[in-house]
Amino acid sequence: MAVFILKRAAQAVPVLLGVTILVFAILQLIPGNPAQILLLGTGATPAQVAQLDRQLGLDQPVVLQYFHYLGRLLTGNLGYSYVTQQTVTSEIASRLPFTLSLTGAALLVALLVGIPLGIIAGLRSGGLVDTLATGVSVLGVAVPYFWLAILLILVFAVKLGILPVLGTGSPAALVLPAVSLGWGYSGIITRLLRNGLIEAYQRPFILVTRAKGLSGWQLLWKHGLRNAIASTVSVVGLQIGYLLAGSVAIETIFGRPGLGSFLVQSIQEKDIPSVQGIVLVVALVYVGVNLVVDVLHALIDPRIRRAVSV
Amino acid sequence: MSVAVAPVQAPAGRWQTLRGRVAFAARHNWPGLLATAVAVLLVVAAVAAPLLSPYNPTAIVGPPRLPPSGQFLLGTDGLGRDVLSRTLWGARHTLITACLSTALASVVGVPLGLVAGYLSQWMSDVVMRAMDVLLAFPGLLLALIVVTILGPGVTTVVVAVGVSYTPIFGRLMYGPTRSIRTHDYIAAARVVGYGRLRVLRKEVLPVLATEVVVLVSSAIGWTTLLAATLDFLGFGIRPPAPDWGADLSAGIQYLRQAWWISAVPGLAITVTILVSNYLGDFVASIIDPDRLYRSHARVRDTAQALTGVE
């Protein structure tokens, strides 16, 4: 297992390096001189631009600049926001909890809805719950989460008035954002788990364990789910990335001061260091989560462990 | 399995002609047929928007926030413009954006996946690691990076959405190509003297044609959603031009008094995504009827096997 974790972590290193190169390249790829972009609208003279060039090391070769950038990253320095003049690290740190709580709550919604529906639909395929679950999952994928958010606000906040729309104080304020964001993913979990269970129950070993006299619940827990959940787990890892990205629109609608709304604001204000910082942090979280999920996958499914260890 | 299932007899004769296959698909895939009909309606709405819309989409034609009525079938928006006309014109903009960005993603992504899957290990490693780096940024984030670099605008949305789906297209083509590579007939073609690129074009691509078509027709839905999200966040078309994502966003402030301003464009986005999902399926069952037959047969087998064991 230790070998597996090490190998998997080693695979993440080139990806992470690539991520830093791409994030570094954002400033280089913007048409025009970076220093000029930074001083945009300040009416700076060419001499001032040249001075900032030197100050930021922008007159050096790009490769050298990249290594300087990488060196700063390793010390946790993401630069300064042009707008607030605070360090990007502190700006992100103050907003990260809002995004993480939203993403976590949305994942919880997806799992709490998706797992029971998936199990029932898988065990009784073709039944009423299965038909319903299939319908829900098709709609879940098709309905844009930001539109769902609006429909939920209409019903629960405007018509019924039982849940708050704005604010971050109470846990109740997290309900609507989390449901809007997580709902679509519950559909995917339902479908994967259902198909996984149906496939697992077709295998001969299920018949053997039944012949051995295992009860329905034990069968489901020990053999059915263990086989069915592997593919679900790896997809949940991928979905966390999409939940993080989806928080951009959801935070904008619900006025949550998280990373997503900060990103939108930074793009609008051309605050490039903040954009670079947020994008980098989200990609890091995403790569990290997928690493953890792959390890979990290997813990559940010994075949994965063996395939890599060989 | 204790349950003996009679082998499915494929009615091969009827599948020889395109007409026979369309008829077969239409009879056995009613959601696909329905989706095709709605897709035709959507395209008609987009093409004939100038003829169909009762009013000029950007003109103020009545009092603001008027509920749906005989005069304004879907009501008026926050400024007093006709929601129906804006939604029809919006279809035009959305479908063009979705088609162009899907084309971009397939023209770049599909060859990359094929080349990475078929050519040397070295090439494969380079291309796939680059794809992994891009995939470390969840779709919307990659699109927002492009927006940061190019600045908001209609062209930016097309490029951003296309770039976001390129690595996904590449990944999805890579796997099947990899498995086809080991088949004997590929080796045979090489022995006969086909060059690598010729094998790719003449032997590999035709086999994957169904995959590509399904991918492209489903991708219209995905790109619609991503483009709508960017427009929703305000990085796309400039007001007062009609757009589903932007109109949905503009209606949020009137949610309490005039739900239809946001609800109508949101419904349009949802319908487009739904249609696109089923359309891919339908096209696949015309190109490769056996596929539909197999999937039906598999569902039947599964159902029988399950009830047989119970």
Side-chain angles (χ1 to χ4, degrees), chain B residues 101-115 127 131 134 162-163 165-167 169-170 173:
Chain B
S101 49
T102 305
L104 180 63
S106 23
V107 165
V108 183
V110 170
L112 272 182
L114 285 176
V115 166
V127 175
M131 298 264 183
L134 292 179
V163 167
Y165 275 102
T166 299
F169 273 48
M173 293 318 292

Side-chain angles (χ1 to χ4, degrees), chain A residues 186-202:
Chain A
S186 73
I188 300 173
I189 293 174
T190 304
R191 204 163 51 202
L192 280 171
L193 202 54
R194 168 191 181 270
N195 294 347
L197 267 182
I198 290 178
E199 216 177 292
Y201 270 64
Q202 271 181 304

Side-chain angles (χ1 to χ4, degrees), chain A residues 82-220:
Chain A
Y82 299 156
V83 176
T84 61
Q85 305 299 331
Q86 302 288 312
T87 62
V88 172
T89 318
S90 67
E91 293 281 349
I92 289 177
S94 70
R95 289 174 169 93
L96 196 57
F98 293 106
T99 299
L100 290 184
S101 58
L102 172 62
T103 315
L107 186 65
L108 200 66
V109 169
L111 292 174
L112 283 181
V113 177
I115 291 178
L117 268 184
I119 292 177
I120 299 171
L123 291 182
R124 300 267 181 278
S125 72
L128 181 66
V129 176
D130 186 23
T131 313
L132 266 175
T134 309
V136 167
S137 71
V138 167
L139 271 183
V141 179
V143 175
Y145 49 89
F146 48 87
W147 191 52
L148 182 63
I150 286 168
L151 296 183
L152 290 176
I153 292 174
L154 266 177
V155 174
F156 291 97
V158 176
K159 298 277 176 224
L160 303 176
I162 48 175
L163 284 168
V165 175
L166 296 174
T168 47
S170 63
L174 196 57
V175 173
L176 288 185
V179 172
S180 337
L181 189 53
W183 186 259
Y185 295 97
S186 73
I188 300 173
I189 293 174
T190 304
R191 204 163 51 202
L192 280 171
L193 202 54
R194 168 191 181 270
N195 294 347
L197 267 182
I198 290 178
E199 216 177 292
Y201 270 64
Q202 271 181 304
R203 303 260 185 85
F205 68 78
I206 292 284
L207 206 62
V208 173
T209 41
R210 267 194 203 281
K212 246 169 56 181
L214 224 58
S215 76
W217 282 109
Q218 281 175 309
L219 184 70
L220 175 67

Side-chain angles (χ1 to χ4, degrees), chain B residues 203-247:
Chain B
E203 306 291 339
V204 179
L205 191 58
V207 179
L208 296 175
T210 318
E211 244 90 349
V212 175
V213 171
V214 174
L215 189 59
V216 166
S217 33
S218 322
I220 299 279
W222 308 335
T223 51
T224 299
L225 178 60
L226 190 52
T229 311
L230 290 177
D231 277 307
F232 173 84
L233 293 172
F235 295 128
I237 204 163
R238 295 279 101 198
D243 174 83
W244 292 348
D247 286 358

Side-chain angles (χ1 to χ4, degrees), chain A residues 142 144 147 150 198 202 241 245 286, chain B residues 1 136-138 140 248 263 270 273 302:
Chain A
W147 191 52
I150 286 168
I198 290 178
Q202 271 181 304
Y286 187 35
Chain B
M1 222 11 63
F137 301 92
L140 179 58
L248 194 159
T270 307
I273 300 169
T302 310

